[in-house]
Amino acid sequence: MNKPGTHTGFGMTSQRTRTRMIERLREQGIVDEEVLAAIAAVPRHVFVEEALASRAYEDTALPLGYSQTISQPYVVARMIEALRAGRELGRTLEVGAGCGYQAAVLAQLTKEVYAVERIAPLLDRARLNLRAIKELKVRLKHADGQLGLPEAAPFDSIIVAAAAARVPRALLQQLAPHGRLILPLGAATQQLALIEFRPEGFVETRLDAVRFVPLLSGVE
């Protein structure tokens, strides 16, 4: 297991490699330059196992252990871009902090980031990783993500890094008026769903096909 913050500059973790990743995201259709700048600012290799650091800037999900993965950069960019679209993120909740990577990207874009993770050893790793890059704005909690984080609600933006069969009711209840929630829905076939809390109620828009680990209840 890697010691957070100890990776050194392999060729594959160089600035040139990181720049290529951003160029690839542009080619794939990501147009929000602030999202691209946020992803460019976060050293993804710090958040993966040392043995996988040479693959950190490939556009692929990578294993974290505990049957979890770090999301591929395109999916991170796509979800955050959809949440932002024409507005600021505001107070943001991430469900499924994992290794802390996506929370670090979110923290480049808003001052209030809360992240919950149900697997205690992963939460500890996220805390160490965020400390290693001196990202101290993210507030982490060991909790069941399906229940959200009621003590910090309401949220302007909620991003879920695991697939649910249906939108957890608790997350809808914690969404602020005019807020947005994005998550993968489905089992064998999954699709990103963007839910907006409009004056007339919740409005859902389906986006890209994706593949995420399932959203589970309880804590470990």
Side-chain angles (χ1 to χ4, degrees), residues 20-208:
R20 278 203 300 268
M21 178 181 72
I22 300 304
E23 291 170 352
R24 196 162 54 239
L25 292 175
R26 282 198 184 96
E27 290 168 0
Q28 291 173 285
I30 303 300
V31 298
D32 188 327
E33 287 297 327
E34 290 189 42
V35 171
L36 291 169
I39 290 176
V42 176
R44 192 170 184 252
H45 63 276
V46 170
F47 292 84
V48 303
E49 297 288 347
E50 191 164 9
L52 296 172
S54 64
R55 299 186 60 199
Y57 299 100
E58 295 177 9
D59 191 33
T60 187
L62 295 171
L64 294 174
Y66 309 98
S67 300
Q68 303 298 303
T69 60
I70 179 173
S71 296
Q72 72 182 93
Y74 171 76
V75 173
V76 171
R78 181 73 175 101
M79 292 176 79
I80 297 175
E81 182 176 68
L83 278 178
R84 273 174 51 86
R87 58 163 213 151
E88 297 299 318
L89 288 175
R91 178 176 289 208
T92 300
L93 172 66
E94 180 192 22
V95 173
C99 61
Y101 172 70
Q102 185 166 255
V105 175
L106 290 166
Q108 311 304 307
L109 295 162
T110 185
K111 294 178 180 178
E112 289 190 277
V113 180
Y114 297 80
V116 295
E117 172 56 55
R118 62 181 292 274
I119 301 171
L122 274 183
L123 188 73
D124 292 341
R125 192 185 305 177
R127 189 170 282 115
L128 289 171
N129 288 337
L130 290 165
R131 192 177 301 156
I133 67 165
K134 298 181 171 56
E135 183 48 74
L136 305 177
K137 285 186 294 187
V138 178
R139 302 172 199 183
L140 296 165
K141 184 171 181 180
H142 184 218
D144 181 343
Q146 293 198 42
L147 303 179
L149 194 62
E151 62 266 35
F155 298 100
D156 302 296
S157 302
I158 300 176
I159 185 167
V160 183
R166 62 187 63 83
V167 184
R169 181 179 297 273
L171 298 184
L172 291 175
Q173 292 172 340
Q174 291 170 35
L175 199 60
H178 308 290
R180 291 178 184 165
L181 160 66
I182 193 166
L183 80 168
L185 286 179
T189 301
Q190 299 172 10
Q191 201 170 9
L192 287 179
L194 178 69
I195 294 138
E196 299 176 86
F197 189 2
R198 297 180 184 172
E200 65 269 29
F202 294 107
V203 177
E204 180 181 316
T205 304
R206 292 297 179 105
L207 305 173
D208 310 39

